[in-house]
């Protein structure tokens, strides 16, 4: 009997074990089939500065598939954070649950587990709790930790002591005190002559741009501004991260589109006899300059600018300013004429080389328009005009000089010289008694042969021919005749026997030395141009 009982126990034990296992599996299967209680959590802000107070909002949402409403919640306070204001918590009405305000209490440090405890108000959880699909909103002010790190608001939601399962990441807040980076790249020149400005920039976080103190607005690189006014401008770009740290970068520049104005303050006279020229000029703002001479290329220059070795004639100088931003001003110019060539003076009429007259008149001219200075004998040059007369002259040799001065001030360096002698009056010999041919006032059409009476002891004769008051020939024939020609050279000039009245004189050269008395004077008239 005992053996049978023992065997019976051995048989029942495996059976009971199998029965227990089956029951356990059946229970587990039923539990798995039931929906769990779940929730999700979120928070704002997600980034804050170190040791900075901010308003926080945490939301705990009961899943719509949860089996039960929740009536308790807990939020762990991150290390270094302090709660600065009363905590408020309220739910919204969903399903059978009404909107309600939950009780909140703060357990701060130095408690080893600083936290916020939340409970639904008294009454049925199905009415005042957090129903499926409802949200518990918790708000408070807190000061962040000093350390830069990512901190977690660890949240729990429960029905009494039964914890709900969190289906989302725990809410976090990043404490960030590191400013973002921002740097302006391309920018306009300073100063600039463009009314358009384009900026490029790089930044580690979102940016906002501002021009000349305007309200900042979101912007991306590049950013362009147009139709800007002349004057100073400032561009600012600010990069701000999620924690509110911001870094600005700015650039100031000046726009100037007005061209500078040049002014010539000095230069050569309108007419000058100097082959050099210097000009002084300026502008109404800081500028560099380009100069042009006689229509050539504009070349860099500075004031004063000088030119040397310029030719006679008209010249033009122009200068234009260019300011620091490249605005080119209108050129200003000045014209002048150089005449560095002196005039040539000439005595066109004067007395005979030997005369008994104590007064005389000179006529003179120059190779260009000129005024004149005259000089008689040892006197100084003095202003004069043609004709110039002198009277009460002494009986002696005289020298008359005249020099022209042109409008540019050039003075003839080689004055024209006229020499003559005033002698005592002598008895004139009649033409009939000494000068034989042609007869006085004879009309001729070809060059005549001059004949005169022979003088004893004369080795040769001096024959002088005048037309008007100008001597045009002086010859020294040995014989008592002189054949005139249609043209000849005298005094370095070519002369022709043109129609007009001519007067001629003859003096004998005596062997014992000196000239004898004037043999006489006579005239003849050429009626037609002479030919050879």
């Amino acid at each position: 009997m005992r053996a049978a009982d023992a065997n019976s126990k051995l048989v029942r034990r495996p059976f009971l074990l199998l029965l227990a296992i089956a029951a356990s599996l059946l229970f587990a299967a039923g539990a798995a089939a039931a929906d769990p209680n779940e929730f999700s959590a979120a928070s704002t802000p997600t980034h804050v500065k170190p040791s900075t107070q901010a308003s926080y909002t945490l939301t705990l949402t009961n899943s719509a598939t949860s089996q039960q409403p929740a009536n308790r919640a807990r939020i762990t306070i991150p290390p270094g954070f302090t709660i600065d204001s009363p905590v408020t918590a309220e739910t919204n009405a969903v399903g059978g649950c009404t909107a309600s305000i939950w009780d909140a209490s703060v357990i701060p440090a130095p408690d080893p587990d600083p936290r916020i405890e939340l409970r639904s108000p008294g009454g049925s959880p199905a009415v005042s709790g957090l129903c499926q699909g409802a949200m518990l909103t918790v708000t408070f002010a807190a000061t962040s930790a000093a350390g830069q790190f990512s901190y977690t608001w660890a949240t729990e939601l429960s029905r009494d002591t039964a914890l709900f399962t969190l289906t989302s990441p725990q809410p976090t807040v990043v404490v960030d005190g590191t400013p973002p980076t921002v740097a302006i790249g391309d920018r306009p020149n300073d100063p600039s002559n463009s009314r358009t400005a384009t900026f490029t920039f790089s930044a580690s976080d979102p940016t906002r741009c501002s021009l000349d103190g305007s309200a900042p607005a979101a912007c991306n690189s590049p950013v362009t501004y147009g139709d800007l006014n002349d004057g100073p401008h400032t561009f600012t770009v600010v990069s701000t991260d999620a924690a509110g740290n911001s870094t600005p970068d700015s650039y100031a520049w000046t726009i100037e589109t007005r061209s500078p104005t040049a002014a010539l303050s000095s230069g050569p006279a309108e007419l000058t006899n100097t082959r050099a020229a210097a000009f002084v000029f300026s502008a109404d703002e800081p500028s560099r300059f380009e100069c042009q001479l006689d229509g050539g290329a504009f070349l860099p220059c500075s004031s004063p600018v000088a030119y040397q070795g310029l030719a006679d004639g008209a010249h033009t100088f122009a200068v234009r300013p260019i300011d620091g931003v490249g605005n080119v001003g209108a050129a200003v110019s000045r014209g002048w004429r150089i005449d560095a060539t002196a005039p040539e003076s000439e005595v066109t009429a004067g007395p005979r080389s030997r005369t008994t007259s104590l007064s005389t008149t000179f006529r003179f001219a120059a190779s260009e328009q000129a005024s004149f200075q005259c000089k008689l004998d040892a006197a100084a040059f003095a202003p004069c005009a043609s004709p110039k007369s002198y009277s009460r002259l002494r009986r002696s040799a005289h020298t008359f000089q005249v020099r022209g001065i042109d409008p540019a001030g050039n003075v003839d360096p080689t004055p024209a010289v006229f020499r003559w002698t005033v002698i005592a009056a002598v008895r004139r010999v009649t033409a009939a008694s000494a000068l034989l041919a042609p007869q006085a006032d004879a009309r001729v059409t070809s060059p005549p042969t001059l004949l005169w009476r022979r003088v004893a002891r004369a080795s040769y004769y001096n024959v002088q021919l005048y037309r008007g008051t100008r001597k045009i020939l002086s010859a020294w024939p040995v014989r008592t005749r002189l054949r005139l020609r249609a043209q000849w050279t005298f005094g370095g000039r070519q002369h022709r026997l043109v129609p007009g009245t001519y007067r001629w004189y003859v003096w004998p050269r005596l062997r014992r030395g000196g000239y004898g008395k004037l043999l006489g004077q006579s005239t003849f008239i050429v009626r037609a141009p002479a030919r050879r």
Side-chain angles (χ1 to χ4, degrees):
M1 191 64 183
R2 290 179 180 176
D5 290 341
N7 289 334
S8 177
K9 290 179 180 180
L10 291 173
V11 171
R12 287 200 302 270
R13 285 178 181 173
F15 175 76
L16 293 173
L17 180 59
L18 289 174
L19 183 62
I21 292 172
S24 174
L25 290 173
L26 181 62
F27 177 79
D35 289 333
N37 291 320
E38 298 175 336
F39 78 103
S40 61
S43 68
T44 59
T46 59
H47 292 72
V48 294
K49 295 180 181 180
S51 304
T52 302
Q53 188 182 79
S55 295
Y56 291 82
T57 299
L58 278 74
T59 58
L60 287 71
T61 304
N62 191 355
S63 174
T65 60
S66 293
Q67 290 294 306
Q68 296 176 316
N71 61 357
R72 292 188 180 186
R74 172 182 290 184
I75 301 173
T76 300
I77 301 172
F81 279 68
T82 57
I83 306 301
D84 300 328
S85 69
V87 177
T88 62
E90 56 183 332
T91 64
N92 60 321
V94 173
C97 293
T98 62
S100 60
I101 297 177
W102 284 28
D103 298 328
S105 59
V106 177
I107 295 85
D111 189 279
D113 183 21
R115 61 195 182 277
I116 301 172
E117 294 284 358
L118 304 164
R119 294 174 180 270
S120 65
S124 170
V127 176
S128 59
L130 183 64
C131 282
Q132 296 89 328
M135 177 186 297
L136 174 62
T137 301
V138 183
T139 58
F140 54 87
T143 298
S144 59
Q148 299 188 64
F149 195 70
S150 178
Y151 296 86
T152 301
W153 297 98
T155 60
E156 295 179 2
L157 188 67
S158 64
R159 173 66 178 267
D160 296 330
T161 59
L163 295 176
F164 284 39
T165 301
L166 180 65
T167 59
S168 66
Q170 288 285 14
T172 60
V173 58
V174 176
V175 176
D176 179 8
T178 302
T181 59
V182 63
I184 296 174
D186 295 335
R187 65 194 71 188
N189 293 328
D190 180 30
S192 169
N193 63 353
S194 174
R195 293 186 182 277
T196 299
T198 297
F199 296 87
T200 64
F201 47 87
S202 58
S204 59
D205 288 279
T207 53
R208 298 173 71 83
C209 297
S210 171
L211 180 67
D212 297 335
S214 62
C219 59
N220 295 308
S221 177
V223 62
T224 298
Y225 301 93
D227 197 25
L228 301 176
N229 295 326
D230 279 17
H233 297 274
T234 302
F235 168 76
T236 302
V237 57
V238 179
S239 177
T240 304
D241 61 20
N245 299 295
S246 62
T247 300
D249 193 10
S250 63
Y251 178 73
W253 81 108
T254 299
I255 294 177
E256 182 180 353
T257 59
R258 186 189 70 84
S259 297
T261 299
L264 270 170
S265 56
S266 71
E270 185 176 350
L271 176 63
T272 177
N273 61 2
T274 302
R275 297 189 183 277
F279 299 87
V280 176
F281 44 86
S282 60
D284 60 352
E285 62 176 293
S287 300
R288 57 186 176 89
F289 297 91
E290 291 182 342
C291 296
Q292 179 194 63
L293 181 65
D294 295 337
F298 276 98
L299 299 174
C301 60
S302 58
S303 180
V305 65
Y307 299 93
Q308 304 290 334
L310 300 177
D312 279 15
H315 296 275
T316 302
F317 170 79
V319 61
R320 65 187 184 190
I322 305 173
D323 65 19
V325 295
N327 296 306
V328 180
V332 293
S333 62
R334 176 175 293 184
W336 80 106
R337 188 168 64 87
I338 295 176
D339 179 5
T341 303
E344 290 289 338
S345 307
E346 175 188 18
V347 177
T348 60
R352 299 190 304 270
S353 61
R354 294 172 66 85
T355 180
T356 60
S357 176
L358 299 181
S359 61
T360 189
T361 298
F362 293 93
R363 296 183 184 275
F364 39 87
S367 58
E368 61 177 297
Q369 178 186 355
S371 60
F372 295 92
Q373 291 180 338
C374 296
K375 171 184 167 116
L376 180 63
D377 297 333
F381 277 102
C384 60
S386 180
K388 174 64 175 176
S389 297
Y390 295 95
S391 60
R392 303 179 67 180
L393 297 173
R394 293 184 300 170
R395 290 185 174 89
S396 64
H398 295 279
T399 300
F400 170 77
Q401 298 181 62
V402 61
R403 63 186 183 189
I405 304 173
D406 65 19
N410 297 298
V411 180
D412 184 357
T414 57
V417 179
F418 189 97
R419 294 182 176 87
W420 82 106
T421 302
V422 178
I423 61 175
V426 297
R427 183 177 62 84
R428 294 187 178 182
V429 178
T430 63
S433 62
L435 305 186
L436 306 177
Q439 292 184 0
D441 298 327
R443 268 70 169 171
V444 299
T445 58
S446 61
T449 297
L450 306 180
L451 299 176
W452 57 91
R453 180 181 300 166
R454 179 178 177 278
V455 175
R457 297 184 303 279
S459 57
Y460 58 88
Y461 301 89
N462 177 225
V463 180
Q464 296 185 16
L465 179 66
Y466 285 80
R467 186 174 187 276
T469 60
R470 178 181 293 183
K471 181 165 66 174
I472 59 176
L473 175 64
S474 184
W476 294 268
V478 178
R479 302 174 60 187
T480 60
R481 63 174 56 202
L482 177 65
R483 171 75 176 179
L484 298 181
R485 302 177 63 84
Q487 63 182 18
W488 64 93
T489 300
F490 174 72
R493 295 186 180 183
Q494 289 287 330
H495 297 275
R496 294 179 60 86
L497 201 63
V498 298
T501 299
Y502 294 83
R503 186 173 70 256
W504 59 289
Y505 303 83
V506 178
W507 287 271
R509 175 68 178 184
L510 304 179
R511 291 189 181 94
R512 66 176 182 267
Y515 284 95
K517 294 181 179 180
L518 176 69
L519 296 183
Q521 63 174 335
S522 186
T523 60
F524 60 88
I525 301 170
V526 176
R527 297 298 301 272
R531 296 181 180 179
R532 289 182 183 273

